[in-house]
Amino acid sequence: MPALPDDILARISRIESQLRETTGRAQIRPPQNTAVGGDLVVGGTQALRVLKASGVGDQFLIGQDGGQRVARFYRPDGTIALSTVVQTTVWDGAGNPVVQDDPGGVGLGRPYLPMVAAPARTGDWLATTNATFEDVWRLSPIKLNPRATITIGHIADAATAGEVQVTVAGSPVGSPTTVGTSQTATTVGPFTVPGTLESTVDIRVQARRTSGAGSVRLAVLAASGFHS
């Protein structure tokens, strides 16, 4: 076999080196079902749809659907759990919306939250004449929020003074509030709600008379859970 020129041998060596480098890169690249170092982009009128393991039915869908930008997440049984179209909605297993933001763009649309009512006439408020703190109002909420607030209306009869305080699980929240002869509303909190999630919490609104011969009157005007 005749000798090959040096430039041909050099070319063959370079080709072999490039083949080895290409093969090595192919072995270390991420698998084709993994995105590393970049975004997975779905544009236009398309959507990212992830099917169940069976291949029938969606686990979730994000993108365009029916001309709208949507996101939908499904339970294993196929019922919808969470969706975002015009509103963000959490659905129960029967297909009823249980939590929604408001379509007007501000605040909560569902659920409808209860409000507290109290007598407008202070003479109808519960009262105490005790010289030591007495439970006048009691709340037993189930803990869902980490903190809470209570607004208390209070007033003392003529020539009488007193104090009001809130206790949670038997411990006072802060310092007592002075009660005078002018009708006043005091908000206590936000204070920490003790216990585990969904446990029952013992909250008391207490009052006492510190001077005079009349009564110290009070009403719970509002009570609400609060965020951290």
Side-chain angles (χ1 to χ4, degrees):
M1 177 178 177
L4 296 174
D6 290 343
D7 60 337
I8 293 179
L9 293 174
R11 288 184 181 183
I12 293 173
S13 177
R14 285 197 300 271
I15 291 171
E16 289 176 341
S17 177
Q18 290 171 353
L19 285 172
R20 285 194 297 270
E21 183 179 353
T22 301
T23 302
R25 287 178 178 175
Q27 291 174 346
I28 65 173
R29 73 180 182 184
Q32 294 187 13
N33 62 353
T34 302
V36 177
D39 296 330
L40 176 62
V41 179
V42 179
T45 59
Q46 307 305 309
L48 173 64
R49 174 176 274 118
V50 176
L51 302 180
K52 296 179 182 178
S54 65
V56 179
D58 293 338
Q59 282 188 299
F60 68 84
L61 180 148
I62 301 174
Q64 293 282 337
D65 187 40
Q68 292 182 307
R69 296 176 60 186
V70 303
R72 296 193 185 100
F73 297 83
Y74 296 85
R75 296 183 180 86
D77 65 1
T79 58
I80 189 166
L82 176 69
S83 67
T84 297
V85 188
V86 177
Q87 297 167 271
T88 297
T89 305
V90 177
W91 305 82
D92 67 11
N96 302 304
V98 291
V99 179
Q100 285 181 318
D101 59 352
D102 191 78
V106 178
L108 189 65
R110 280 188 175 90
Y112 308 137
L113 302 181
M115 297 183 180
V116 177
R121 296 178 300 187
T122 58
D124 295 331
W125 291 0
L126 297 182
T128 184
T129 58
N130 281 359
T132 58
F133 276 114
E134 176 186 12
D135 295 339
V136 181
W137 292 85
R138 179 177 179 176
L139 297 85
S140 300
I142 294 174
K143 177 179 177 177
L144 295 175
N145 299 107
R147 298 200 292 171
T149 64
I150 296 179
T151 300
I152 307 161
H154 50 82
I155 190 171
D157 291 345
T160 301
E163 290 181 326
V164 63
Q165 69 176 11
V166 172
T167 67
V168 179
S171 300
V173 177
S175 301
T177 298
T178 299
V179 179
T181 55
S182 297
Q183 180 180 340
T184 306
T186 298
T187 297
V188 178
F191 53 83
T192 298
V193 179
T196 58
L197 187 68
E198 295 188 346
S199 62
T200 300
V201 184
D202 181 41
I203 301 175
R204 313 285 179 99
V205 181
Q206 301 178 330
R208 68 180 177 183
R209 186 177 67 189
T210 55
S211 65
S215 296
V216 176
R217 306 177 184 277
L218 62 155
V220 175
L221 304 180
S224 177
F226 205 79
H227 59 76
S228 295

